[in-house]
Amino acid sequence: IGNICAQWLRLHGCERVIIADIDDRKLEIAENMGFIPINSAKSDMVAQTLALTGQQGAQRVIEACGLPATFLQALAVASRGGEVVF
């Protein structure tokens, strides 16, 4: 689901798409497709995303996992006026 959402974002004009997951296999596939992978089990996904966006946050965020923790992360990485889809 996350990979499909990333492809959808790219089709809609997002030049840089960041994917966070805990599965290295999925992240490798995402990286091979040109997305920026973050393993959220091994690092702070929020801090890395903010660093990658110049502390501005992401303009569009899709939460595709459905866990309370990832809902909070999605809100934390969204830019001011950014869109979040749960």
Side-chain angles (χ1 to χ4, degrees):
I1 293 172
N3 194 296
I4 291 170
C5 291
Q7 292 176 57
W8 179 83
L9 287 170
R10 174 152 305 136
L11 287 171
H12 284 87
C14 296
E15 293 178 17
R16 294 187 325 149
V17 178
I18 301 166
I19 293 184
D21 204 308
I22 59 171
D23 185 334
D24 285 327
R25 181 183 54 85
K26 290 179 185 178
L27 291 170
E28 183 178 347
I29 292 168
E31 186 171 29
N32 290 336
M33 295 181 73
F35 303 123
I36 301 167
I38 297 175
N39 187 320
S40 55
K42 297 178 181 176
S43 64
D44 183 342
M45 184 279 291
V46 173
Q48 278 198 289
T49 301
L50 292 175
L52 287 166
T53 60
Q55 303 303 314
Q56 297 299 306
Q59 294 173 343
R60 293 181 180 95
V61 179
I62 298 175
E63 193 290 319
C65 184
L67 297 173
T70 56
F71 284 5
L72 295 174
Q73 288 173 332
L75 294 173
V77 300
S79 66
R80 174 172 272 182
E83 299 174 327
V84 179
V85 176
F86 292 107

